[in-house]
Amino acid sequence: PNRRYLEERLAEELNRSKRYDYPMSFLMIDIDDFKAYNDKNGHQAGDLAIQITGHCLKAALRAADIASRYGGEEFCILLPQTGMAEAATIADRIRQRVNSTHFPHGKSQPLGRVTISVGVSTFSQMINTPENIIAAADRALYQAKSLGKDRVEFYLDDPGSHQQGK
């Protein structure tokens, strides 16, 4: 599915979460050092790395989860009826799957393999619009990148805080 489909489903699931007081989480995923991979190995290798990453995501998700390419080497996953603890388990399962998957030229990456960073946001009183949910996951992703990559970080309601991941 494309970004537009994801945004439509995010609005639907958000309304459902508000109406029935269901939890909902959202993951923003970025392939670490992708520009270096693409520049060094060519665009065809980069396209293949994106495809392999997409297969890793799909294999690690449940039937109700909605994965989408967000742009470039970024992916988003909507996790309906999923609280932060379960989202953390899913996000780390995805991170580990990518970590253990063979990518052509993966050994030439800065971490010696292709890795991803993941930002997680969860529906709450403060994070209650599609824009806020995406922005919160994006901020958590930025935090994961700034803390060394190949990790999962969580956005919490307090804008100055984050919960450290793996």
Side-chain angles (χ1 to χ4, degrees), residues 2-42:
N2 62 23
R3 182 175 173 171
R4 181 186 200 162
Y5 175 78
L6 176 84
E7 289 172 347
E8 289 171 2
R9 288 299 311 274
L10 176 58
E12 290 170 14
E13 290 300 331
L14 184 61
N15 287 335
R16 187 172 289 120
S17 291
K18 288 176 181 176
R19 189 175 317 121
Y20 299 110
D21 197 29
Y22 288 153
M24 183 192 76
S25 295
F26 188 80
L27 310 179
M28 178 86 62
I29 299 167
D30 187 67
I31 301 173
D32 295 327
D33 302 303
F34 183 75
K35 183 176 178 355
Y37 187 96
N38 214 25
D39 290 350
K40 185 172 187 177
N41 305 303

Side-chain angles (χ1 to χ4, degrees), residues 1-163:
N2 62 23
R3 182 175 173 171
R4 181 186 200 162
Y5 175 78
L6 176 84
E7 289 172 347
E8 289 171 2
R9 288 299 311 274
L10 176 58
E12 290 170 14
E13 290 300 331
L14 184 61
N15 287 335
R16 187 172 289 120
S17 291
K18 288 176 181 176
R19 189 175 317 121
Y20 299 110
D21 197 29
Y22 288 153
M24 183 192 76
S25 295
F26 188 80
L27 310 179
M28 178 86 62
I29 299 167
D30 187 67
I31 301 173
D32 295 327
D33 302 303
F34 183 75
K35 183 176 178 355
Y37 187 96
N38 214 25
D39 290 350
K40 185 172 187 177
N41 305 303
H43 291 285
Q44 285 183 320
D47 289 347
L48 181 58
I50 289 171
Q51 287 178 335
I52 293 170
T53 303
H55 290 297
C56 289
L57 301 182
K58 209 171 177 184
L61 294 177
R62 307 163 301 182
D65 301 333
I66 300 143
S68 170
R69 188 158 165 207
Y70 197 69
E73 71 280 6
E74 283 188 325
F75 297 86
C76 289
I77 301 174
L78 174 59
L79 303 171
Q81 298 182 31
T82 306
M84 187 177 287
E86 193 175 3
T89 300
I90 293 166
D92 200 54
R93 182 172 60 225
I94 293 166
R95 187 191 63 78
Q96 288 177 23
R97 181 173 284 270
V98 170
N99 239 334
S100 64
T101 297
H102 171 74
F103 284 78
H105 318 291
K107 289 185 191 296
S108 67
Q109 285 297 90
L111 296 175
R113 63 198 179 289
V114 172
T115 61
I116 59 171
S117 294
V118 185
V120 182
S121 64
T122 301
F123 166 70
S124 69
Q125 287 184 344
M126 299 294 289
I127 304 172
N128 59 8
T129 66
E131 297 79 15
N132 288 350
I133 289 166
I134 292 170
D138 194 43
R139 278 190 226 101
L141 173 61
Y142 179 79
Q143 188 71 24
K145 293 286 199 180
S146 69
L147 290 171
K149 303 174 185 167
D150 187 25
R151 59 189 300 124
V152 177
E153 289 293 325
F154 307 87
Y155 184 86
L156 302 178
D157 281 349
D158 176 1
S161 73
H162 71 280
Q163 179 177 341

